[in-house]
Amino acid sequence: MPEIISPLPGIFYRRPGPGKDPFVEPGQRIEVGQTLGIVEIMKQFTEVQADVSGVVESFAVEEGAMVNPGDVLAVIATEGVQ
């Protein structure tokens, strides 16, 4: 299954801001270019976008977790997805 990888170190957030709904939930269909979360480093926010279409199988990190470049953020199911 394809994985969405962190492009840089920082803190991973699944929501655009406190009290807001997550960008996507596990089980939700996504398209290429869709934002799945953001990584914040030194008050700079970088969107993490899908590079494949499919269904979000799971997130590999929790909201607010520290991530490093190359860490898996989410797993995407593409087999049998219409």
Side-chain angles (χ1 to χ4, degrees):
M1 282 190 219
E3 299 172 330
I4 305 300
I5 305 298
S6 179
L8 65 161
I11 301 172
F12 178 69
Y13 296 104
R14 291 183 46 210
R15 303 167 187 275
K20 305 240 172 136
D21 290 335
F23 289 104
V24 296
E25 294 282 4
Q28 184 177 336
R29 178 157 180 71
I30 59 166
E31 300 298 330
V32 172
Q34 185 170 344
T35 300
L36 301 179
I38 52 178
V39 176
E40 182 260 324
I41 182 168
M42 298 175 57
K43 302 299 179 197
Q44 296 291 321
F45 295 87
T46 301
E47 289 186 353
V48 177
Q49 298 179 338
D51 53 5
V52 295
S53 295
V55 174
V56 178
E57 184 78 16
S58 63
F59 281 91
V61 296
E62 297 293 321
E63 173 82 8
M66 288 294 300
V67 295
N68 292 301
D71 285 357
V72 175
L73 300 177
V75 178
I76 310 300
T78 57
E79 293 291 317
V81 175
Q82 300 293 319

